[in-house]
Amino acid sequence: MTASDPHSYRDPAQPSIRHIEFDFTFDFRNRTTHGRARYSLDRPSDGRLFLDTHAIQIRRAQTGETPVPWSLGEADPILGQRLALQFPPGTAEFEIDFQLPPTARALQWMDASQTAGGRHPFMYSQCQAIHARSLFPCQDTPAVRFTYRARLHVPKPLVGLMAAAPEGQSTQGDLGVFSFHMPQPIPSYLFGLAVGDLTWRDISARCRIYAEPPLIEAAAWEFAETEQMLQIAEGLYGPYLWDRYDLLMLPRSFPYGGMENPRLTFANAIFLTGDRADTSLVAHELAHSWTGNLVTNASWEDFWLNEGWTTYAEFRICERLYGREYVELAAVRDRNLLFEDYERFRPTPQYTQLKFPMQGVDPEETFSRVPYYKGLFLLMLIEQSVGRETFDAFIHGYILDHAFRSLTTEQFLDYLRHNLPQAFDRVAIEEWIYQPGYPADGPVFRSRAFEAVEVAAAAFIADGRLTQAQLAGWSPDQIVLFLQQMPETLPPAACRQLDRVLDMPHCQRFVTQSLFYSLAIRSGYRAVWPRAEALLLASGSRLSLMRLFRAVAQAPWTRSKARALYERARRGYHPLTQQEIERLLVEEGL
Ligand SMILES: [Zn+2]
């Protein structure tokens, strides 16, 4: 299929990359990377081949012993530079030697002091959406899939890890050499690697958790249900096709909750809360093994196909594991989070469409919960309208018919029209996808647990009444919902009471912390400042972090502190988080 991707220089008329053999050497002292990649194409090329690059220094390109002439185009702030290679007739294999700067957008380098162990540095990659091109020249579009082998050269005693099958390790002088093989074809955005002081625990025959030594026990306990979740997902979607499902715990500065790199989900250590409140993260990431990694959005304009379907599967897995009440409450929570983004996108309502044109738009700038939760609610609505049994049969066929392929929203709609036409009679599907806002037929969720929250929140807002006894037996999500029910601001005395009753000084859950401290800052409850500041300095996944940073940048009493706080925190933030906070500070005139 040849749908064009607005975020790639790839020319669909040219051959596609089919396999790559990588060699990477990581220099932790200078934070530079030397790479060599040998490419195989799906058919011989007689002419030019365009690849995506971002700030990569090309040293040499050749086919066999013959040098390949190359040129780099003008640098576009979003897309980077087009690398044009000029091949002799019949070229199907070629090699590129390159160097990456310390600022390579896909990599975060961390000092020992920024890790949980504090003894060794750490580095990891994040390629989604369009950052693989800063790690190696490639056709950086989800429409192209390739297999690969890779060798990572890392300083001893660090461990190299990839979202691929390990193929042994050796040493070369003072370097450890770790080899990997990825036999299933992946799009470039699912390329993932990490280097650090890592250890592991097996939690089943095919699930292992990797983490820094001080985190390993907590991580193995927190995510002990992973194998069970995998089995539920197989019931929903069909057999798991990636052999192993392992998890890697990343530092709190990771800009996302998790990233579904195949075989090895990258998960933020912020979710080690000690009460399994956020295990739905793993249900989500492992569901991507089907929706996203197997059936892939053709471009970032179709991102909701990855995220909407995966969030739907996450809910189905959690329903089987934790019951209907749990997911009804989570649906109310997530609808509130969705509306928070609608509020943020008030000046750009097109970003609340499931699909909108992204020519000239940075996918990082539009990253939000819309593809996740608006996509989820559309799929829930379709399920409700046709019945679960019918919908499940459709899902099985959908996965089977598109495995290891990419598709556009329009191809999905054609498939839906063909295989589930009755869905269109009952749901305004095109309005859900192509119109901003939240359609009137959106699903309504009720839950007894939520009603208890509503009653308590209304009483508290009316007369400030709230006791610990009222909260006895509440789930962590009920606390989140309670905070979401609060008005924009409260009297500082009410914040103080919430602080005490919710026992915020001991709260470990980042979404709860972010909601409470944002409310407290907007309300001028000054006692929270040292804790809010410490939380921002410890950083965390991007959407919750941005909520809190926005409150600091907007509240009259904290506004003047925002820039200085950012300067102190910046070094610990991921480059994507830095970029987003810098944009926020400019917007706020700071
Ligand atoms: Zn996802």
Side-chain angles (χ1 to χ4, degrees):
M1 58 138 282
T2 55
S4 69
D5 179 340
H7 294 114
S8 174
Y9 288 117
R10 171 203 177 220
D11 179 348
Q14 296 175 349
S16 295
I17 295 168
R18 188 175 49 82
H19 180 79
I20 310 179
E21 301 267 329
F22 293 104
D23 236 297
F24 285 107
T25 304
F26 301 106
D27 176 347
F28 273 74
R29 187 162 308 144
N30 298 304
R31 296 187 166 182
T32 53
T33 304
H34 172 242
R36 205 173 62 225
R38 285 189 295 278
Y39 301 79
S40 306
L41 299 174
D42 64 350
R43 59 192 161 89
S45 164
D46 290 336
R48 292 213 290 177
L49 183 76
F50 298 151
L51 299 180
D52 295 295
T53 70
H54 184 275
I56 294 183
Q57 189 195 337
I58 307 292
R59 303 215 299 201
R60 187 170 50 81
Q62 62 189 64
T63 171
E65 296 302 310
T66 312
V68 171
W70 55 270
S71 62
L72 281 170
E74 213 176 299
D76 177 275
I78 299 169
L79 302 184
Q81 285 172 287
R82 187 183 76 177
L83 172 64
L85 299 155
Q86 185 65 49
F87 289 132
T91 301
E93 297 195 344
F94 62 98
E95 183 176 315
I96 301 178
D97 203 291
F98 54 92
Q99 189 82 21
L100 309 183
T103 50
R105 214 158 54 166
L107 300 181
Q108 183 174 19
W109 298 84
M110 310 180 77
D111 301 334
S113 65
Q114 294 169 279
T115 65
R119 293 177 51 223
H120 297 284
F122 197 100
M123 185 271 284
Y124 69 91
S125 69
Q126 166 60 33
C127 289
Q128 195 183 38
I130 55 169
H131 308 310
R133 67 192 63 183
S134 73
L135 206 44
F136 55 95
C138 57
Q139 291 165 324
D140 199 6
T141 167
V144 170
R145 308 178 85 94
F146 57 90
T147 56
Y148 71 83
R149 278 202 150 79
R151 290 199 305 171
L152 309 184
H153 301 253
V154 312
K156 283 193 227 169
L158 301 182
V159 173
L161 200 57
M162 289 194 79
E167 277 198 325
Q169 66 187 80
S170 59
T171 56
Q172 264 178 27
D174 49 7
L175 295 179
V177 184
F178 295 82
S179 302
F180 300 89
H181 180 211
M182 188 67 200
Q184 290 94 353
I186 58 150
S188 51
Y189 81 92
L190 292 177
F191 182 91
L193 57 84
V195 180
D197 179 19
L198 294 168
T199 185
W200 59 85
R201 286 277 179 286
D202 284 322
I203 49 174
S204 77
R206 57 176 172 175
C207 299
R208 170 176 288 184
I209 297 201
Y210 293 89
E212 287 187 71
L215 301 179
I216 191 71
E217 292 305 333
W221 183 85
E222 198 87 32
F223 298 122
E225 295 159 315
T226 301
E227 172 65 39
Q228 223 180 327
M229 290 178 162
L230 199 54
Q231 289 175 17
I232 296 172
E234 286 184 303
L236 183 65
Y237 277 157
Y240 181 72
L241 297 179
W242 303 88
D243 307 324
R244 292 194 59 86
Y245 181 79
D246 298 335
L247 282 162
L248 166 65
M249 302 312 301
L250 287 188
R252 295 167 64 97
S253 60
F254 183 46
Y256 301 97
M259 176 63 210
E260 64 271 21
N261 295 320
R263 290 169 180 253
L264 183 68
T265 282
F266 287 15
N268 196 323
I270 214 153
F271 291 110
L272 300 177
T273 50
D275 59 0
R276 292 187 181 156
D278 285 310
T279 50
S280 62
L281 168 82
V282 174
H284 181 96
E285 302 307 335
L286 69 80
H288 270 304
S289 308
W290 289 266
T291 45
N293 300 5
L294 204 56
V295 180
T296 308
N297 50 211
S299 81
W300 302 110
E301 290 182 342
D302 306 297
F303 188 43
W304 82 274
L305 284 179
N306 275 15
E307 295 304 344
W309 272 109
T310 300
T311 310
Y312 173 81
E314 168 198 331
F315 271 64
R316 291 287 299 271
I317 293 168
C318 289
E319 184 183 315
R320 272 283 298 282
L321 215 46
Y322 308 126
R324 186 78 198 151
E325 180 79 354
Y326 174 95
V327 292
E328 279 171 347
L329 198 66
V332 182
R333 174 198 69 195
D334 293 342
R335 197 182 46 196
N336 291 340
L337 291 172
L338 175 65
F339 288 154
E340 212 179 302
D341 279 337
Y342 277 30
E343 196 55 41
R344 178 159 69 96
F345 288 150
R346 213 183 260 271
T348 50
Q350 70 276 23
Y351 295 168
T352 67
Q353 294 170 205
L354 284 178
K355 182 160 185 172
F356 56 91
M358 289 184 75
Q359 196 79 45
V361 176
D362 185 349
E364 299 303 337
E365 200 181 319
T366 60
F367 179 72
S368 78
R369 299 170 184 92
V370 171
Y372 295 75
Y373 299 138
K374 194 179 181 187
L376 162 74
F377 296 135
L378 168 59
L379 294 170
M380 280 182 164
L381 202 58
I382 296 175
E383 183 213 295
Q384 281 170 19
S385 76
V386 301
R388 180 166 282 189
E389 215 175 307
T390 306
F391 197 52
D392 280 356
F394 169 82
I395 295 174
H396 263 276
Y398 170 64
I399 300 290
L400 213 57
D401 288 345
H402 298 92
F404 294 110
R405 287 173 53 196
S406 305
L407 81 167
T408 62
T409 300
E410 292 66 35
Q411 287 168 325
F412 167 71
L413 288 177
D414 282 348
Y415 186 84
L416 188 66
R417 213 168 271 124
H418 205 256
N419 293 282
L420 210 60
Q422 66 273 39
F424 287 85
D425 302 338
R426 301 169 203 169
V427 183
I429 295 175
E430 310 235 328
E431 183 191 342
W432 273 87
I433 293 173
Y434 297 112
Q435 297 295 319
Y438 194 72
D441 62 353
V444 177
F445 303 98
R446 295 302 318 168
S447 86
R448 266 171 309 158
F450 180 53
E451 279 158 22
V453 170
E454 277 184 312
V455 169
F460 177 68
I461 293 166
D463 56 21
R465 259 189 308 118
L466 188 70
T467 63
Q468 250 145 2
Q470 273 177 283
L471 307 183
W474 275 26
S475 70
D477 275 345
Q478 281 177 292
I479 305 287
V480 167
L481 276 154
F482 181 88
L483 289 169
Q484 286 175 333
Q485 295 296 110
M486 291 299 108
E488 190 64 13
T489 59
L490 285 171
C495 288
R496 185 176 315 113
Q497 201 195 347
L498 271 188
D499 197 10
R500 187 176 50 77
V501 176
L502 300 180
D503 193 21
M504 286 311 298
H506 295 107
C507 173
Q508 292 295 320
R509 200 180 190 201
F510 192 51
V511 62
T512 313
Q513 292 171 317
S514 162
L515 283 165
F516 175 74
Y517 292 121
S518 303
L519 170 67
I521 283 169
R522 286 195 305 270
S523 305
Y525 171 45
R526 291 168 186 252
V528 297
W529 179 251
R531 280 180 279 150
E533 192 181 28
L535 195 62
L536 285 167
L537 286 168
S539 78
S541 70
R542 192 149 59 128
L543 291 171
S544 288
L545 185 78
M546 287 308 296
R547 176 195 295 115
L548 183 50
F549 222 104
R550 199 168 292 117
V552 171
Q554 290 175 347
W557 71 282
T558 50
R559 253 180 85 74
S560 62
K561 308 174 197 271
R563 171 65 68 177
L565 174 58
Y566 170 62
E567 293 304 335
R568 279 171 62 205
R570 197 167 69 92
R571 212 171 63 94
Y573 286 158
H574 190 278
L576 295 176
T577 310
Q578 293 177 8
Q579 194 186 328
E580 196 163 347
I581 294 181
E582 278 160 22
R583 197 183 300 135
L584 168 77
L585 291 175
V586 170
E587 272 168 26
E588 295 298 330
L590 292 166

